Amino acid sequence: MGVVDRDGVQIAYDVIAGPGDAVPLFLTHGYSASQAMWAPNLMALAADRAVVTIDLRGHGKSASPDEQRLYSHELSVADMAAVMDACGIERAAVGGLSLGGYLSLAFYAAHPQRVACLLLFDTGPGFRSDASRAKWNEWATRQATRIEERGAGALASTAEVSRTDVNPKGLANAARGMLAQQDGSVMASLPNVKVPTLVLVGADDERFLAAADYMAKTIPDAEKVVIPEAGHAANIDQPAAFNAAVVDFLRRHA
């Protein structure tokens, strides 16, 4: 495991060195998960390229600072860039699940020259409507409060959620500063994505099926894959099908 210091906040990451020299793959996990969620996929994905995984601030083995101001999309995107720099990676295939997918889109908007292609798993681009965004943010705030009150016991019982290395204060701050959304800029950026994009979603991930359809239709060079008998963590629910779809896409585009 490696660590990069971001103004006193330690960001943990790992590198699986593949045997080939293809463009590296950079993966970001979902809210309340950690880089451990990629365990069923790493061997297959690293068959011909390096794979870098990261623990977002407030998650896993990364630091969980007390100050709310130290949690934001902008800081998370800068963390991703700093880890790429630490690994000597100028350009990567950038992807993530749920919050990680949203941050991948935000990373592309900030650093398009560093992205060879995008991989968006069980995720969405945010909200155009202020009312819808406010409803989502109210839910995120409730999540933060429950975690502060109940700790790991407040986390959903889903496949990707981490119940180890949990810092309740860090997850609560991450809910308010990273899970919550400030504006519709990521959604507005979709027509401007100029790299090949894989939009992958579990067939049973009902909350994100419409978002997957929207992204696949709006991003100019996007292709959609639906994984049967998979929920929000398609990579864990059906790892063989997930791995096959991602490896096929990467071999064609990176």
Side-chain angles (χ1 to χ4, degrees):
M1 185 186 79
V3 175
V4 64
D5 186 285
R6 293 268 298 126
D7 297 324
V9 178
Q10 305 296 308
I11 303 299
Y13 67 92
D14 204 358
V15 182
I16 307 299
D21 58 358
V23 172
L25 173 62
F26 189 100
L27 292 173
T28 305
H29 61 78
Y31 175 74
S32 75
S34 73
Q35 58 183 308
M37 69 166 289
W38 303 112
N41 317 114
L42 292 177
M43 184 177 295
L45 300 184
D48 54 7
R49 70 189 67 240
V51 180
V52 180
T53 57
I54 183 175
D55 279 337
L56 294 169
R57 51 180 63 206
H59 294 74
K61 298 187 182 302
S62 287
S64 296
D66 290 335
E67 299 92 333
Q68 182 63 67
R69 65 180 179 82
L70 295 179
Y71 297 79
S72 69
H73 296 145
E74 292 78 13
L75 286 170
S76 298
V77 165
D79 292 342
M80 294 162 68
V83 169
M84 285 180 63
D85 290 344
C87 295
I89 295 172
E90 182 59 34
R91 192 164 178 258
V94 176
L97 184 137
S98 200
L99 173 60
Y102 181 88
L103 290 173
S104 297
L105 283 166
F107 184 90
Y108 177 82
H111 304 286
Q113 75 282 0
R114 304 197 71 170
V115 180
C117 59
L118 282 167
L119 303 98
L120 309 175
F121 312 135
D122 293 286
T123 190
F127 304 91
R128 181 182 295 107
S129 160
D130 291 343
S132 296
R133 189 179 312 108
K135 186 176 179 179
W136 172 268
N137 289 351
E138 288 170 4
W139 173 80
T141 300
R142 290 195 300 271
Q143 279 286 96
T145 301
R146 283 196 294 267
I147 291 168
E148 286 172 332
E149 294 174 348
R150 298 171 50 200
L155 298 177
S157 297
T158 55
E160 79 278 13
V161 168
S162 173
R163 294 187 179 276
T164 60
D165 299 318
V166 170
N167 182 310
K169 182 63 174 177
L171 286 184
N173 284 340
R176 294 187 178 101
M178 294 154 56
L179 190 60
Q181 297 179 8
Q182 308 308 312
D183 55 43
S185 59
V186 167
M187 175 172 274
S189 73
L190 297 184
N192 300 320
V193 173
K194 293 180 171 59
V195 295
T197 301
L198 174 64
V199 178
L200 183 149
V201 65
D204 301 328
D205 190 8
E206 295 181 358
R207 292 183 65 186
F208 288 90
L209 291 174
D213 286 341
Y214 182 83
M215 292 188 296
K217 293 175 183 176
T218 308
I219 296 172
D221 189 11
E223 55 189 83
K224 187 177 76 167
V225 172
V226 178
I227 303 294
E229 299 181 16
H232 189 55
N235 68 303
I236 298 172
D237 295 340
Q238 297 294 340
F242 175 92
N243 295 343
V246 173
V247 168
D248 173 69
F249 177 83
L250 289 173
R251 286 178 175 169
R252 288 185 286 116
H253 297 292

